[in-house]
Amino acid sequence: MSQYYQVAVNFPKSDSVLTYKSENEFHIGDMVTVPLGRRKSQGVVLCETPAEKLEGLIESKVKAIEEQIPNSFRLSGKELGLYKWMNKYYHYSLGKLIFDCLPKVMKRPKKLEFENGDGKAIPHDLNETQKPVYTKIQAELKNGFSQHYTHGVTGSGKSLIYLKLIKEILESGKSAQFLLPEINLTPQFISMFKEYLNHKVFSYHSGVTPSEKYHIWRQLKENKEPVLVMGVRSSIFLPIEDLGLVVVDEEHDGSFKQSDRCPYNGRDVAIKKAQLSDCPVVMGSATPTMENYYQFSEEIAHRNYYELKERVNGHFPKLELFDTRDRFKEKDPAWPFLDETIKEMELKLEKGEQVLVFINKLGFSNYVQCRACGHQFKNEKCGCDNNLRFFRNKNIL
């Protein structure tokens, strides 16, 4: 007797869930091959179709599932729940979304060796500003889903708070996920986590080969031990059993947003994943997005906001601003540098130190400005006579 299944087909149509039949039994989350028109397509079994929904269905027109995809893995209920949420939230084809996020199924994946961390003791203690933040988040680790925001200036020690929280959640027997916006930040965090954690650290980013990505997914599907999974936005789809903590560092960064295919925000998907896994999510940044700054600083229910205003070591550099108006010299070869600036640069170089010069325009200018009074020229002249001759000589006026 045939059984009927709802299958999310890899097809770029908003309603990509179709009904198929099979003499064999399939489970929710199985990846299968199905006929779609005159070609074959991939699909994921979502559920068995109830008998009451088969009324009016012409059995001869219902096509059969061909087979389960070899070497594929079964998606869990939490994974499907996340994809279904994205399907509705971003109005994107469910079947195509799933297969856009999954790694390519490999017949002979390259073997990948994973090393445990060294498990060294963390040499740094939390200071008086870090301790209250850590204590408050720590108290929520076993209380299910909650949202936390660490608004800390650069160098305030947010990473140490993350490290201690992750170390504690791993030692409790649960896994953790750490999201970064850029692949360039990965090496420094991998080095830190491998040195102080006594568990496996999985790194997932664009530099990982397709074979290695498939092997990581396979390992996480079969893994029963607590692990740390870290990576860029695409790593949020990795299957992590018994997830106990999600951390999103530099949540404001635009790299968390994907503009092609399904245009999702990895930060928002991370929050939903934490909610489905019933675990806390911790976000952090020195420059929060406007929406998060409002939502957390206004003390909206179930959101916790922590501010770190001081650096752990050292102080912020002293800044001195110079007004260059009325100080323009037509024959000055060092313009726009002032005599004070040149003197300071010479002093630093004489000490053997280095000097960085940042230029806010490179190779072009989108407006012309009077160097004497600061007026921006459009179609009119400024009221300053100092530089009219200069601009006329340059055929600007």
Side-chain angles (χ1 to χ4, degrees):
M1 182 178 178
S2 297
Q3 293 176 290
Y4 294 84
Y5 298 93
Q6 294 291 303
V7 179
V9 182
N10 185 5
F11 184 63
K13 190 177 180 181
S14 58
D15 186 11
S16 61
V17 179
L18 304 175
T19 302
Y20 288 89
K21 63 183 179 181
S22 177
E23 299 292 335
N24 302 318
E25 183 180 2
F26 288 96
H27 298 87
I28 295 175
D30 282 344
M31 299 168 62
V32 294
T33 302
V34 294
L36 185 64
R38 296 182 179 181
R39 63 183 180 88
K40 294 181 181 180
S41 182
Q42 298 171 313
V44 175
V45 177
L46 300 179
C47 63
E48 187 174 347
T49 305
E52 59 268 18
K53 290 189 176 182
L54 295 176
E55 294 181 5
L57 195 68
I58 302 175
E59 185 177 359
S60 61
K61 291 188 177 182
V62 179
K63 296 183 179 180
I65 297 175
E66 295 189 355
E67 63 173 349
Q68 186 168 351
I69 299 176
N71 300 317
S72 63
F73 29 75
R74 184 178 299 162
L75 301 182
S76 67
K78 290 180 181 178
E79 290 176 84
L80 287 175
L82 185 63
Y83 291 127
K84 288 178 181 178
W85 174 81
M86 291 181 65
N87 161 243
K88 293 181 179 179
Y89 190 78
Y90 295 108
H91 302 281
Y92 194 80
S93 164
L94 177 59
K96 184 166 176 55
L97 170 65
I98 292 174
F99 286 97
D100 281 349
C101 298
L102 291 174
K104 184 179 179 182
V105 175
M106 311 292 288
K107 294 181 179 179
R108 295 186 181 89
K110 181 181 177 181
K111 189 175 182 180
L112 193 61
E113 297 293 337
F114 299 99
E115 296 181 4
N116 279 329
D118 297 331
K120 295 180 180 178
I122 301 175
H124 309 291
D125 293 326
L126 298 172
N127 61 25
E128 295 304 315
T129 58
Q130 294 169 313
K131 283 181 181 178
V133 178
Y134 171 75
T135 303
K136 289 179 181 178
I137 300 176
Q138 181 195 34
E140 298 289 333
L141 290 179
K142 297 181 180 180
N143 295 335
F145 175 67
S146 59
Q147 298 184 60
H148 305 266
Y149 201 102
T150 55
H151 180 189
V153 298
T154 303
S156 60
K158 298 188 294 294
S159 297
L160 182 59
I161 296 174
Y162 301 152
L163 175 61
K164 285 185 172 288
L165 290 170
I166 291 171
K167 189 177 181 69
E168 178 163 338
I169 206 71
L170 292 176
E171 291 177 351
S172 72
K174 292 190 174 184
S175 295
Q177 180 150 30
F178 186 83
L179 258 66
L180 292 163
E182 295 283 354
I183 185 177
N184 296 334
L185 298 173
T186 305
Q188 69 186 64
F189 278 101
I190 285 184
S191 176
M192 179 182 72
F193 290 138
K194 283 190 175 181
E195 184 174 3
Y196 300 117
L197 300 179
N198 193 27
H199 297 81
K200 289 182 180 178
V201 178
F202 292 81
S203 178
Y204 195 89
H205 47 75
S206 59
V208 179
T209 67
S211 178
E212 291 172 337
K213 287 182 178 179
Y214 173 79
H215 201 68
I216 289 174
W217 279 72
R218 174 65 68 185
Q219 284 283 314
L220 289 173
K221 277 291 183 180
E222 298 172 353
N223 179 72
K224 302 299 180 184
E225 300 176 356
V227 297
L228 170 63
V229 176
M230 64 167 294
V232 294
R233 63 171 184 256
S234 60
S235 67
I236 195 62
F237 302 108
L238 287 169
I240 307 174
E241 295 298 323
D242 205 11
L243 183 62
L245 176 67
V246 177
V247 178
V248 184
D249 192 29
E250 306 295 345
E251 65 84 20
H252 70 277
D253 199 290
S255 298
F256 280 121
K257 296 180 181 180
Q258 175 170 286
S259 56
D260 61 332
R261 295 179 293 179
C262 179
Y264 70 90
N265 188 326
R267 176 204 65 194
D268 298 338
V269 178
I271 296 173
K272 186 63 181 180
K273 183 174 184 177
Q275 185 182 41
L276 291 171
S277 300
D278 198 27
C279 72
V281 57
V282 179
M283 291 175 281
S285 175
T287 54
T289 53
M290 291 295 292
E291 64 269 25
N292 271 335
Y293 181 75
Y294 169 75
Q295 290 176 352
F296 284 86
S297 62
E298 292 294 324
E299 298 183 356
I300 295 178
H302 307 301
R303 294 189 174 96
N304 305 279
Y305 175 76
Y306 317 106
E307 198 168 8
L308 300 170
K309 297 181 179 181
E310 299 178 358
R311 287 184 169 182
V312 174
N313 296 314
H315 303 281
F316 287 102
K318 294 181 180 180
L319 300 177
E320 188 174 357
L321 300 178
F322 294 101
D323 189 346
T324 60
R325 291 178 297 181
D326 295 324
R327 299 186 65 176
F328 172 66
K329 300 176 184 178
E330 188 174 338
K331 295 183 179 180
D332 188 352
W335 180 264
F337 295 109
L338 303 179
D339 293 339
E340 299 96 312
T341 308
I342 298 295
K343 186 177 180 180
E344 285 295 325
M345 293 169 67
E346 289 176 344
L347 290 174
K348 298 302 179 185
L349 292 173
E350 288 173 0
K351 291 181 180 180
E353 299 177 349
Q354 295 180 328
V355 176
L356 288 176
V357 178
F358 292 94
I359 303 174
N360 66 336
K361 295 290 178 184
L362 183 62
F364 69 94
S365 178
N366 57 9
Y367 65 88
V368 178
Q369 182 178 9
C370 176
R371 291 173 175 173
C373 67
H375 175 79
Q376 291 185 19
F377 292 95
K378 294 182 180 178
N379 295 321
E380 76 286 351
K381 300 177 182 179
C382 65
C384 172
D385 293 329
N386 281 357
N387 289 319
L388 289 181
R389 179 169 54 84
F390 171 80
F391 286 112
R392 287 194 185 100
N393 292 340
K394 299 295 183 181
N395 294 321
I396 295 176
L397 295 178

